[in-house]
Amino acid sequence: MSVQPLISIVVPARDAGRFLGATLDSIIAQSETRWECIVVDDGSQDDTFALAQRYAASDRRIQAFRHDAAGASAARNRGFRRISEQSQFVSFMDSDDVWLPHALEALLGRVQQDGTALGSHGLADFIDSCGRPLTPGVYVETGRARLGLDGHRLVRWPLERATSFDVLINGNVLFPPGLVLTRRYGYERAGPFDETLSGAEDWDMLIRLSRFGDLAFVNDVILHYRRHDANLGARSGIATQAWRVRCIAFYDPENSTAQRRVARLGWRAYQVHLARDRMGAAGRALREGDVRAAISLAARLPVHAWRYLRGYPLPRVVRKPLTW
């Protein structure tokens, strides 16, 4: 008799034939074996679907489905709708990243240890297109440097504290999605990924999830985040999309009274944080003799001052509720 899956892993894949095999191998190699993996081919033009089918034929925990191209969010939503009724936890794994063998065990153990947590997340380190280490440790420290609202200031969040709405409303250091394992009901309550977003939909989802609970922090590298020409190009417009997510989150009617207060205070604290960063960078540029760079950096300071005084982001975006 087969073991019912405890964890559902959804892998959206489009033209991922170069890397999908390594991703699926890393899932199969997990020390926690109570999982199912649903690969959703998003209209690939290469051998992605054929490769997924071969893996599905050799391991009954893997399923492969194909749909017309509609984007990563749509593929994730389609995969979620196919997960087993018995599954209790969900993770969305990108088709070019690689889990370390203890990833699921570490994430599951952490969320089960903290019965109040909605989920858990760990750290990633960069690899290149060939799987070789890339700037080792740099992205690890980025993941540890979570900024959360403490009073009226953004501070570096203590490692022992869970990642909460107070952190995620101010920015996303929980990328790629394979860093996160969440109780299934969190996604059921938050609703589907927003298919109108492209490039920051993961941050939008994390903010929505954080309204229902915190994500316990695993201070350990659990994933290798592959950097290559295709994903670097796909994230070139991330700043515009991230700004849209920031505006949506600020005005979201789903925010509680306390969360609205955190959003307002966090917005102003974020402007102060950015202004201090720019002042420091301008000072360094000036000391190095780069006057043009110093002037360019300093010229942004009035923008942050105006945003601070205004007290809210623009445009005023209110999204219709997302439902399964």
Side-chain angles (χ1 to χ4, degrees):
M1 184 176 68
S2 62
V3 176
Q4 296 292 349
L6 179 64
I7 301 169
S8 293
I9 305 157
V10 178
V11 181
R14 183 175 185 182
D15 296 332
R18 283 192 296 167
F19 307 121
L20 180 60
T23 299
L24 295 179
D25 285 340
S26 79
I27 294 172
I28 293 170
Q30 289 301 298
S31 56
E32 170 57 64
T33 61
R34 294 168 295 174
W35 52 262
E36 65 174 355
C37 177
I38 300 167
V39 182
V40 181
D41 183 290
D42 184 44
S44 296
Q45 300 299 308
D46 65 357
D47 64 342
T48 294
F49 186 59
L51 180 61
Q53 285 182 308
R54 290 199 296 272
Y55 273 86
S58 64
D59 191 323
R60 59 185 176 183
R61 296 173 297 178
I62 299 174
Q63 303 173 56
F65 300 95
R66 191 172 199 177
H67 297 276
D68 293 338
S73 290
R76 292 184 185 119
N77 292 337
R78 287 165 171 168
F80 184 84
R81 293 184 181 103
R82 291 181 177 273
I83 66 176
S84 169
E85 292 181 359
Q86 290 75 31
S87 179
Q88 299 177 34
F89 299 90
V90 181
S91 184
F92 292 90
M93 182 70 166
D94 281 354
S95 58
D96 49 3
D97 295 331
V98 177
W99 267 332
L100 275 65
H102 69 292
L104 285 181
E105 183 179 357
L107 291 172
L108 181 63
R110 187 68 183 89
V111 71
Q112 289 180 328
Q113 177 186 356
D114 184 347
T116 64
L118 180 67
S120 59
H121 73 93
L123 298 167
D125 218 350
F126 286 140
I127 57 173
D128 66 14
S129 60
C130 298
R132 297 171 300 210
L134 184 66
T135 60
V138 171
Y139 199 59
V140 178
E141 287 309 308
T142 299
R144 289 193 178 113
R146 301 167 296 159
L147 292 176
L149 185 69
D150 182 13
H152 291 74
R153 300 181 304 128
L154 287 184
V155 301
R156 181 156 174 161
W157 217 235
L159 296 179
E160 67 274 12
R161 292 189 66 176
T163 300
S164 62
F165 183 87
D166 304 58
V167 173
L168 289 166
I169 192 67
N170 297 300
N172 180 21
V173 294
L174 278 63
F175 189 86
L179 290 179
V180 181
L181 179 75
T182 305
R183 298 183 194 274
R184 175 187 182 148
Y185 70 75
Y187 288 103
E188 291 174 339
R189 294 181 66 183
F193 285 86
D194 187 340
E195 297 179 17
T196 69
L197 297 172
S198 176
E201 69 280 356
D202 56 298
W203 181 27
D204 174 67
M205 176 58 80
L206 288 167
I207 295 171
R208 288 155 58 197
L209 287 170
S210 72
R211 295 190 178 104
F212 306 111
D214 298 343
L215 299 175
F217 179 50
V218 177
N219 188 20
D220 188 21
V221 175
I222 62 163
L223 180 144
H224 286 157
Y225 177 16
R226 194 186 301 274
R227 307 296 282 157
H228 54 89
D229 52 354
N231 68 12
L232 288 170
R235 295 185 66 79
S236 60
I238 189 67
T240 300
Q241 289 291 300
W243 186 265
R244 178 172 173 78
V245 168
R246 189 178 295 278
C247 293
I248 289 172
F250 189 93
Y251 296 108
D252 199 317
E254 294 297 318
N255 289 335
S256 67
T257 300
Q259 289 163 351
R260 286 195 294 272
R261 180 176 182 274
V262 167
R264 290 194 301 269
L265 292 175
W267 168 256
R268 284 186 159 160
Y270 182 61
Q271 302 311 314
V272 173
H273 174 76
L274 291 179
R276 286 175 173 166
D277 274 359
R278 290 187 185 278
M279 288 174 63
R284 289 191 296 273
L286 198 59
R287 289 192 295 274
E288 293 168 2
D290 192 344
V291 177
R292 180 175 295 181
I295 293 173
S296 177
L297 288 162
R300 294 291 298 173
L301 295 178
V303 174
H304 297 304
W306 168 238
R307 288 175 176 171
Y308 177 92
L309 293 171
R310 188 178 64 206
Y312 53 85
L314 291 174
R316 196 179 295 267
V317 181
V318 179
R319 175 176 55 196
K320 293 181 179 178
L322 298 171
T323 59
W324 289 108

